[in-house]
Amino acid sequence: MCRTLAKHSGLNVISIESSLAPEFPFSENQKCAFFDCYTATRAFINANKIDKYVLSGDSAGGNLCTSVATKLSEEPDKIYAKLTLIAYIYPVHGGMNFTTPSIQKYDYPYLCYWFCALFKLCYLGGKIPYSVVKELMLEPKSYFYWQKDEIAMTYVQNFDGVADPFLGDTYEHRYLESRATERISKYVINKYASPHYLNSSDFNRLMDFVEKGFICLWSEYDALHDDVVHWEKRLRETNEERVNNENKSSKLIDFTMVKALHGY
């Protein structure tokens, strides 16, 4: 992929060999995919004094692009130049909402519901017992019972539009006390792990930091379809507010959908 991108774009392409979960689960300041990508990007840009650069990634790589850009935007004095563009390929920004119609509808072998749940749980929780995955498969909203912070739990439910006041009556108490679920509940709304939950201030700062804008190539028949729809909608709405209310320049937001599966 990197050779193809370099050939057709005429640009230098740098690929970061980051640490992978579950051996290296998410952390803000220790060896993991996010931290490796952040430190490597900052070091390379600064060492080579690069003033124009693009972050690009597919699927979870799209998540890392946004997470790294978010972190860089908070520390502009530590990076040589602002980010020029983010180029996504069917990115995943979501948290733990496995109730979206696309996940249920496009439950194909290549990226099925089970894989989506397993990948996210391993990224947040590391080496998790299969019982944790099984619980989430039985009831997609069960992770609310792992969340001991009621404010965080309510925020996630409202943000994702999945609040269910009767959940406790219909779902038997299967709370899993384990180190894994504690890690997952700790990081489920972390902005670097799940940029989907960025607050308005962080989202605006991110848009300020990306000078040109955001482009995306994504799949129609994809479990992540609704995730991308939500991200594009938020980008466009925020961009419009910034132009109309803050008199800021408009950003490029170009999302192209193709009739294909995830990973085509």
Side-chain angles (χ1 to χ4, degrees), residues 211-246:
E211 294 192 313
K212 296 296 184 181
F214 308 78
I215 61 175
C216 178
L217 189 64
W218 58 299
S219 308
E220 181 175 1
Y221 311 114
D222 186 354
L224 305 178
H225 179 104
D226 294 337
D227 189 302
V228 179
V229 169
H230 178 276
W231 190 252
E232 179 186 10
K233 182 173 181 287
R234 192 172 184 193
L235 283 172
R236 292 190 184 282
E237 289 178 347
T238 303
N239 186 50
E240 186 176 347
E241 290 176 4
R242 289 159 51 87
V243 172
N244 295 336
N245 302 333
E246 302 174 35

Side-chain angles (χ1 to χ4, degrees), residues 9-22:
S9 68
L11 302 175
N12 294 321
V13 176
I14 309 300
S15 178
I16 300 172
E17 189 174 348
S18 59
S19 305
L20 302 177

Side-chain angles (χ1 to χ4, degrees), residues 91-121 136-137 139-141 143 160 162 196-197 218-229 262:
V92 53
H93 289 100
M96 292 283 287
N97 182 13
F98 299 109
T99 66
T100 63
S102 64
I103 284 183
Q104 304 296 326
K105 182 178 181 181
Y106 303 124
D107 188 21
Y108 298 142
Y110 188 82
L111 185 66
C112 61
Y113 173 18
W114 186 84
F115 277 153
C116 288
L118 180 64
F119 293 161
K120 189 66 179 187
L121 291 172
L136 196 60
M137 296 298 293
E139 170 50 68
K141 297 179 184 178
Y143 71 92
D160 287 335
V162 294
H196 174 74
Y197 298 123
W218 58 299
S219 308
E220 181 175 1
Y221 311 114
D222 186 354
L224 305 178
H225 179 104
D226 294 337
D227 189 302
V228 179
V229 169
H262 183 94

